Amino acid sequence: MISVVFFGDIVGSKGRSRLKRDLPLLLEHYSFDFILANAENAAHGKGITPKIVDELCEAGIDAMSLGNHSYSKSEVMWLDASKPVAFPKNLIGQFQDRHSVILTKNNVTLALMSVMGNVFMENTDASWVDSLKSMSQVNADIKICDFHAETTSEKYIVLHTFHEQFSAILGTHTHVQTNDAHVYNGCAYITDVGMCGPFPSILGRDKDEVLRRFIKKEKTHYTVSNEEAMLSFVVMLFDDQYTPTQIQSYSILPHQNILEVIKDCDTMNMLRR
Ligand SMILES: [Fe+2]
Ligand SMILES: [Fe+2]
């Protein structure tokens, strides 16, 4: 059995702090073969920097995928190609060819890949159909696609088009976890993993500021919220043929203890040390 955990969009320092606090707790009691995350909002809510990539790697993340904010911080241009970061294949930018990170552990190779949806998304230069067709040629035992998109319908269309080519298709970007994690014809799927970021908030942003923008039409900056962070993630299990057998979603609120929330879950119990 192979186990993989994937954390939803890490938002700002609060999201990073919660992850750094809870991941060691999780690893003390449970074992995972691969630890993945979406990190497109890790640098103060927008983008990522080489320093934060190193910080997340030190915290235990094996590989991270990005999204529409991939290039929001100029420092990202200095990110070394050896770092385990997957940029969306169809988002215009200098690292489009770094769309897949290949990891090997215990003789199992896993590819984490990044692609964006086309609906309500800017700066894509290709449809996900063409991108995913070529990405599916990547050679790995387990292929995990982070599909970074806005609409639930587009995410389900990807599942029903590419379930034979990928081991898992995980939706990210909306920052709100959906309750539909399931295995469909050999492909683990969830419409959105959710976020690791401040809560309560509007998708990680200060809620009062966003309300002023929506209701009073004030020009505001979408400041990252100062609230403590929630943690959203999925855990997937694969059999020895690399076929997913389970996918389970978890959402831990700021005041909740991660070990308490997950202690009676069947999936987690299979991973106890
Ligand atoms: Fe995001
Ligand atoms: Fe996004």
Side-chain angles (χ1 to χ4, degrees), residues 58-194:
E58 273 165 37
I61 303 293
D62 295 318
M64 53 203 94
S65 45
L66 299 176
N68 52 307
H69 292 305
S70 298
Y71 302 103
S72 296
K73 296 282 183 286
S74 56
E75 300 98 302
V76 79
M77 67 186 287
W78 304 111
L79 186 69
D80 195 89
S82 64
K83 301 293 180 183
V85 181
F87 289 76
K89 179 170 170 53
N90 57 347
L91 177 68
I92 297 168
Q94 69 181 110
F95 296 141
Q96 283 181 267
D97 57 340
R98 297 193 199 170
H99 52 75
S100 303
V101 174
I102 316 277
L103 303 169
T104 303
K105 278 194 193 177
N106 307 325
N107 290 324
V108 178
T109 54
L110 175 144
L112 174 64
M113 310 180 194
S114 175
V115 69
M116 275 178 44
N118 299 114
V119 180
F120 303 140
M121 287 295 202
E122 294 173 347
N123 297 328
T124 53
D125 67 351
S127 77
W128 51 259
V129 181
D130 294 338
S131 300
L132 286 173
K133 260 187 200 162
S134 71
M135 291 161 85
S136 67
Q137 303 303 314
V138 170
N139 196 12
D141 299 319
I142 296 174
K143 297 179 192 177
I144 297 192
C145 169
D146 174 344
F147 185 65
H148 197 78
E150 190 75 63
T151 69
T152 51
S153 54
E154 195 179 24
K155 289 170 173 175
Y156 266 97
I157 293 165
V158 169
L159 172 65
H160 288 281
T161 311
F162 283 100
H163 60 87
E164 288 175 1
Q165 279 77 35
F166 293 91
S167 321
I169 294 171
L170 307 177
T172 58
H173 175 68
T174 72
H175 293 199
V176 177
Q177 187 175 86
T178 55
N179 190 21
D180 63 340
H182 65 290
V183 176
Y184 175 80
N185 283 356
C187 181
Y189 174 84
I190 186 168
T191 297
D192 208 290
V193 181

Side-chain angles (χ1 to χ4, degrees), residues 188-204:
Y189 174 84
I190 186 168
T191 297
D192 208 290
V193 181
M195 72 166 172
C196 300
F199 182 89
S201 70
I202 311 286
L203 317 182

